Amino acid sequence: MPLFNLSNVSKPKETNYDVAIIGAGPGGLASAIYAGRAGLKTIVFEKSTEGGQILLTDMIEDYPGFVSISGNALAENFLNHAKAFGSNFTNEEIIEADLTSKIKRLKTDLGNEYTAKTVVIATGSNPRKLGVPGEEEFMNRGVSYCAVCDGSFFKDKRVVVVGGGDSAVEEGLYMTKIAKEVTLIHRRDKLRAQKIAQERAFKSKMKFIWDSVVTEIGGSKNVEYVMIKNLKTNETTKYPTDGVFIYVGLIPNTQIFKDQIKTDENGFILTDEHMETNLEGVYAVGDVRKTPLRQIVTAAADGAIAVIDMTKYFD
Ligand code: NAP
């Protein structure tokens, strides 16, 4: 699994900042680049060594300037760029945040407290679970949410991919290079994914099961089958497989802010056109915000817009 290692960056001694950026995915790192260039004293919090969804992607073909680049390489470019303009980085996780006052207070898992005049929430999202029997039980024993991370375990085996969005189709395509058989199971008869990805999938060896949902994942030691229910006929069939890759959407990482920040009914943060939330000086960028498009380029653009707007607090 590719790692986005910030651990070589020592913990900053300073605790008071102009800008605190929570999350080091593309939105957070683009914010750091712009904040650094604006001369703002900036800190980026990244709770893990990974750099967000970008690292879970094999090849990226829709970030301008790169016809094709690996997720890992693009993440590294973003990080090096942010470091070049002087942002501080720490591997601490924010566990408590008081964002309502003029000076924002952030508490970390290491017990440290930081203050910042402005905050960028760039905490991204996590894969949504399917919520069927066997999903938890067979986690890492055939059930996966990341083809790039776990795909190699399924060399010459049979896998199913659940979902019809960009992630399901792109990760399914990735699996066609590794697995013997890839079957995409979608609850409708039409994919949600972008046209270019759909066309590639239809030309590939991927098989499709339409109008169907997975109702159970079963096996003995490892996954051996899924139960599939056809929503039109109500017929349930047992479908043999060695792996189940689940891509049924995203859950935004907004738990710790949810009492202070306005979100939509699914937890995605509501912002104005400058990425500012309902709280002054608090911005949200990238996948965590309610947005019509979740791509690296839009997350990066969100970061740029947010930081240019926040300079009004430093005039
Ligand atoms: P998504 O676009 O929300 O798609 C989720 C898919 O799962 C949909 O097809 C949905 O079906 C299906 N689904 C949801 N709940 C389900 C359930 N309980 N059982 C069965 N199927 C279920 O999620 P995503 O594909 O992870 O993408 C997330 C965001 O990242 C999107 O905005 C996407 O465009 C973006 N993204 C972009 C790229 C790229 O640009 N290259 C790559 C990956 C992701 P319905 O279609 O019927 O709703």
Side-chain angles (χ1 to χ4, degrees):
M1 177 165 183
L3 292 181
F4 183 22
N5 201 339
L6 299 176
S7 56
N8 57 342
V9 187
S10 59
K11 186 178 128 23
K13 290 188 186 76
E14 276 284 337
T15 54
N16 303 318
Y17 288 88
D18 292 329
V19 191
I21 298 167
I22 310 174
L29 290 174
S31 304
I33 293 165
Y34 274 74
R37 290 193 73 239
L40 300 173
K41 204 164 117 194
T42 302
I43 183 164
V44 182
F45 296 91
E46 171 55 52
K47 70 174 179 180
S48 71
T49 49
E50 291 130 326
Q53 303 282 327
I54 186 173
L55 287 176
L56 308 181
T57 308
D58 176 35
M59 292 307 288
I60 290 153
E61 295 181 345
D62 51 11
Y63 191 74
F66 299 92
V67 173
S68 178
I69 184 168
S70 75
N72 209 19
L74 187 59
E76 225 172 291
N77 288 354
F78 267 73
L79 177 62
N80 290 336
H81 197 163
K83 281 196 214 162
F85 287 107
S87 287
N88 296 279
F89 287 84
T90 177
N91 275 128
E92 291 168 88
E93 177 178 0
I94 302 298
I95 54 165
E96 248 179 75
D98 177 4
L99 305 177
T100 51
S101 329
K102 202 165 174 206
I103 298 294
K104 325 294 177 198
R105 295 186 178 281
L106 302 168
K107 209 183 218 176
T108 75
D109 57 339
L110 298 185
N112 296 318
E113 279 199 32
Y114 293 84
T115 65
K117 292 176 190 139
T118 57
V119 168
V120 179
I121 300 172
T123 45
S125 55
N126 280 328
R128 179 184 293 150
K129 302 263 165 70
L130 204 48
V132 297
E135 183 176 17
E136 294 286 337
E137 188 188 339
F138 290 102
M139 190 99 75
N140 301 323
R141 294 194 287 132
V143 172
S144 170
Y145 303 86
C146 179
V148 174
C149 319
D150 302 328
S152 59
F153 297 120
F154 298 90
K155 191 160 165 41
D156 298 326
K157 296 193 169 172
R158 298 161 302 184
V159 300
V160 299
V161 178
V162 187
D166 283 320
S167 301
V169 173
E170 289 188 5
E171 304 307 302
L173 274 167
Y174 174 75
M175 286 309 299
T176 60
K177 293 185 260 173
I178 300 170
K180 179 174 71 181
E181 209 177 287
V182 179
T183 307
L184 186 142
I185 302 165
H186 184 35
R187 64 183 177 183
R188 291 187 293 137
D189 62 356
K190 217 169 164 219
L191 296 171
R192 177 183 291 278
Q194 293 172 62
K195 215 167 177 151
I196 184 168
Q198 292 194 27
E199 282 166 5
R200 283 182 189 166
F202 293 141
K203 277 191 203 144
S204 78
K205 68 179 186 187
M206 201 185 292
K207 296 183 196 166
F208 297 86
I209 297 179
W210 303 109
D211 299 311
S212 299
V213 291
V214 169
T215 54
E216 186 193 330
I217 299 167
S220 44
K221 191 163 169 262
N222 296 313
V223 168
E224 289 168 5
Y225 66 88
V226 285
M227 297 303 295
I228 301 173
K229 182 178 171 187
N230 184 304
L231 296 173
K232 289 208 164 137
T233 62
N234 271 336
E235 196 187 332
T236 299
T237 46
K238 190 173 182 176
Y239 194 80
T241 188
D242 303 300
V244 186
F245 287 88
I246 298 169
Y247 292 104
V248 293
L250 304 171
I251 306 268
N253 293 319
T254 47
Q255 280 308 97
I256 62 165
F257 315 109
K258 75 175 194 306
D259 298 333
Q260 302 168 59
I261 299 277
K262 282 196 181 140
T263 66
D264 71 2
E265 64 283 5
N266 296 315
F268 291 99
I269 295 177
L270 301 172
T271 67
D272 65 15
E273 62 182 350
H274 302 287
M275 310 304 143
E276 196 165 21
T277 67
N278 57 303
L279 298 177
E280 275 193 1
V282 180
Y283 294 78
V285 302
D287 283 6
V288 75
R289 113 183 157 85
K290 182 177 162 67
T291 169
L293 190 60
R294 290 195 172 82
Q295 303 215 327
I296 301 165
V297 69
T298 51
D302 286 358
I305 293 167
V307 173
I308 295 302
D309 187 72
M310 79 169 49
T311 54
K312 71 190 178 199
Y313 293 109
F314 300 98
D315 286 343

